[in-house]
Amino acid sequence: MGMILGKISVETPKYEVVQSSADYEIRKYSPSVVAEVTYDPSQFKGNKDGGFSVLANYIGALGNPQNAKPEKIAMTAPVITKSPGSESEKIAMTAPVITKGEKNMVTMQFLLPAMYERAEEAPKPLDERVVIREEGERKYGVVKFAGVATDQVVEEKVENLKKSLERDGHKVIGEFLLARYNPPWTLPAFRTNEVMLPVQTVGLPRASVETNEAVESPKPTRRGRKKKPTSSSPATKTRRTRKTQNENGSIESESQGEEEELGDFDDGMDFPYEEPPLICCFGAAQKEFVPTVRVNEEKMHPDKYSHWKMLQWDPPEFGRAPGGPPSNVAISHVRLGGRAAFMGKVGDDEYGDELVLMMNKEKVQTRGVKFDENVKTGCTYMKVKFDEKGRLKMETVKESAEDSLLSSELNLAVLKETRIFHFNSEVLTSPSMQSTLFKAIAWSKKFGGLIFFDLNLPLLLWRSRDETREVIKEAWNKADIIEVSRQELEFLLDEEYYERKRNYRPQYYAESFDQTKNRRDCYHYTSEEISPLWHDGLKYLFVTDGTLRIHYYTPSFDGVVVGTEDVLITPFTCDRTGSGDAVVAGIMRKLTTYPEMFENQDTLERQLRFAIAAGIISQWTIGAVRGFPTESATQNLKEQVYVPSMW
């Protein structure tokens, strides 16, 4: 499952990022030893990747090693090719594979493991076509992209990269390399490809004027060991960013901090993990207030039912119940048949014990929870004072336990097993949790996991709308999958425009079919409308309108799945019922078990109906955790709401 979803578990070359911009990275690669073969594709019936089998035989990937010792050599990534154009579908097992070509000749390279520091140390090949040689320190301009590396796509990436490098004063000094990290059975949306151009760099500017590129600030001196170059595993770095908002509502980020290095981690687990794949929900363990209305186990009298229904909107009182978005999603995911872990911190007190016990009872893994006796759960110490104008002012003296998880307290074994890492924007309101979150995201990406950003926007916790957009943007750009509500999407785009658009003159009949598409309840946001929020690494954007409909967007297609609202109980999904958390859990439950959803639109829509059914049941039963449905109940409702052809 990990390789299908793009996990890279082999050794990758070491490099240091010299400069990073919005369009490319300048990398300095350490010296390495390569095995390469140069050939005419006609020798392999026109297959430009025909040299792969020659190199694979040399290292022993396809059987007995074809070298003098003989010695089996560990596979690495990427496979690198240099040629006028190549398709990446036929290369497997190592990453990257490098191919380079001159006229009709193609050269393909395997990077040998770092244990071979000189060419003489590598086993001598038995096939005379295989050449072992050393490559010294070199610099490349690199752009990363997903999907299938077809000739047309690669040509476009190379052209854009070359223009960007020359625009910034860098000199291109050679032909491009195409690096491919994944085998052909990896889903195209999860593949990692890179186009690399050898460059001669110029001095880095101290500031940029009217450009989109990001300029790194000088790195502060560090005491202790010298920093080692990083691995090329995707997304292994975190950085602080500064954001600026454009007139069209989009937000661009500009790198201005130090990139942190992630070390190596090995927990000794070399056997497959359990199925279904694990998801990890990161955030604060909390209690939430829910109506004290209880569901009657017996069938209600209609009059009593009507009274109970109205009490939802005017409850006699509220009661505290364990909840909060992260734990709600984890519990709902487990009830839907999945495996989930919660990652956060609680105090070593009765309140913290109660929250963790509740998750344990629901079979949520809590090995990622940190107990701290020095802080208290749900208790933040504040200082009240007066400012210069005599107004009351409050400062946080000591964070509560759930808002004080440190980067050093992350359970890396959980992140290694995690296939989807889930978090929401509430974590970003705590300064101490922000850095921990981005470190966890970097580790999760290094281990091959996907990042799921469930926006769940608490607007009242920020000082202004501009601050809200700034705070969430860095997390937004790191996410692979994002879920927002309709209101949140319009807030991020231009809520005033959509508010005016909704205040249209009512029309009770349609003069044409096209006119029905523009009605408020049937409106589908176009790809052009959501383009200011899209970024290259995004694989999915879900826009939920309660359980009435779910809009979805991918790099290849977009559409909408129609659900239903149980208007007899609640006209719109309410956060207090946890319905939105159940929908998110349902989406992740199917993403972990149906990877074809990323490429097949029909499969995607069928599985999204399962998530809608989970949300509907959560609306029927008040009380957050108490109302989350089981997998069988959700599937039964799905089959009742939709006709068999839509299951």
Side-chain angles (χ1 to χ4, degrees), residues 324-342:
S327 57
N328 279 352
V329 171
I331 292 172
S332 181
H333 186 84
V334 171
R335 289 197 185 174
L336 292 173
R339 295 171 59 239
F342 177 82

Side-chain angles (χ1 to χ4, degrees), residues 173-193:
I173 56 176
E175 297 297 326
F176 78 90
L177 306 179
L178 172 62
R180 293 166 288 181
Y181 286 79
N182 308 105
W185 54 81
T186 298
L187 293 173
F190 297 98
R191 297 181 189 178
T192 300
N193 310 301

